[in-house]
Amino acid sequence: MKRGKFITIEGIEGVGKSTHMDRLVKHIEAQGITVRRAREPGGTPTAERIREVVLGHTDETIPPIAELLLMFAARSVLVENLIRPALNAGEWVVSDRFVDASRAYQGGGRGVPMERIDKLADWVLGDLEPDLTILLDAPVETGMARAGSRGNPDRLDSEHAAFYSRVRSAYRALADANPERFVVVDASGSLEEVAAQIDTVGLSLFPD
């Protein structure tokens, strides 16, 4: 059986990942393809419990390396219990964030050395890599304003602008270094403008 495609959507807070992921999934399903949705951290019952630890507010500090390890623990559960089985069954998987989020947030944002992140990625993921990564990119001020309007921010939603600037820079560097995998979408415009770009990406998945 032909392996399914694995698509990830990345970006800082407030760029509309969930909204545009829904649009992309519907586009793929319209082609008669079964699509499984995932998110990070989370995506399975056990991984969702780890998500609560990672993103929940607490009086106890979570060191950057502990945050990274928790992310990879949740990722390992998600990969082995959802992503690999779905892909092997010929289904497509679209995930709200994946390993590039660790490179951007724990690497760029927290300052964890990238070689440590890549070593964990090699250990946990092996040869699994997204077929396509869509980076929704917008200025930090735009993303923070949108995220702030949602209310009830989680621990990562509550970071300062300098943190998100480092995260955004890391994402853009990843996109520049991997142009064969990344598609960068300008997410600073209106919902309709960004949706039109997502539609173009969707069409590119099914060339004539």
Side-chain angles (χ1 to χ4, degrees):
M1 179 176 292
K2 186 177 180 181
R3 176 187 179 275
K5 287 187 179 292
F6 181 27
I7 302 167
T8 57
I9 301 179
E10 299 281 357
I12 62 171
E13 320 306 314
V15 293
K17 293 187 305 300
S18 297
T19 298
H20 296 297
M21 177 174 166
D22 288 343
R23 189 178 187 92
L24 182 63
V25 167
K26 289 176 181 176
H27 188 101
I28 298 169
E29 289 176 334
Q31 310 302 313
I33 296 171
T34 299
V35 184
R36 298 290 297 274
R37 298 168 183 253
R39 72 170 181 173
E40 284 211 346
T44 75
T46 298
E48 288 291 330
R49 289 197 290 273
I50 300 173
R51 179 187 179 90
E52 293 175 4
V53 175
V54 177
L55 299 185
H57 292 283
T58 175
D59 292 333
E60 185 177 14
T61 299
I62 298 180
I65 192 65
E67 183 178 272
L68 177 68
L69 291 170
L70 286 166
M71 289 291 190
F72 269 98
R75 184 168 295 133
S76 177
V77 173
L78 177 66
V79 164
E80 298 306 323
N81 293 342
L82 190 155
I83 295 176
R84 285 194 197 277
L87 295 176
N88 290 337
E91 299 173 347
W92 288 29
V93 177
V94 179
S95 181
D96 181 342
R97 293 203 171 117
F98 194 56
V99 68
D100 292 309
S102 284
R103 295 181 175 119
Y105 277 79
Q106 285 78 53
R110 303 289 190 212
V112 176
M114 203 64 70
E115 59 267 23
R116 295 185 183 179
I117 299 173
D118 289 339
K119 185 175 293 186
L120 278 172
D122 182 61
W123 185 24
V124 171
L125 306 179
D127 61 355
L128 178 64
E129 184 177 75
D131 296 291
L132 170 68
T133 297
I134 301 169
L135 174 60
L136 296 174
D137 181 60
V140 169
E141 296 77 10
T142 301
M144 291 185 71
R146 291 174 180 171
S149 67
R150 296 195 300 247
N152 299 318
D154 61 37
R155 193 172 63 85
L156 285 182
D157 285 339
S158 304
E159 286 290 348
H160 46 79
F163 174 83
Y164 295 123
S165 292
R166 295 193 298 271
V167 172
R168 185 190 183 202
S169 294
Y171 268 133
R172 291 172 67 94
L174 286 166
D176 289 342
N178 300 277
E180 74 289 345
R181 176 165 65 86
F182 273 81
V183 171
V184 180
V185 171
D186 181 0
S188 61
S190 68
L191 180 63
E192 292 76 17
E193 290 169 338
V194 181
Q197 296 179 72
I198 295 296
D199 287 345
T200 299
V201 174
L203 287 172
S204 71
L205 296 171
F206 305 99
D208 294 333

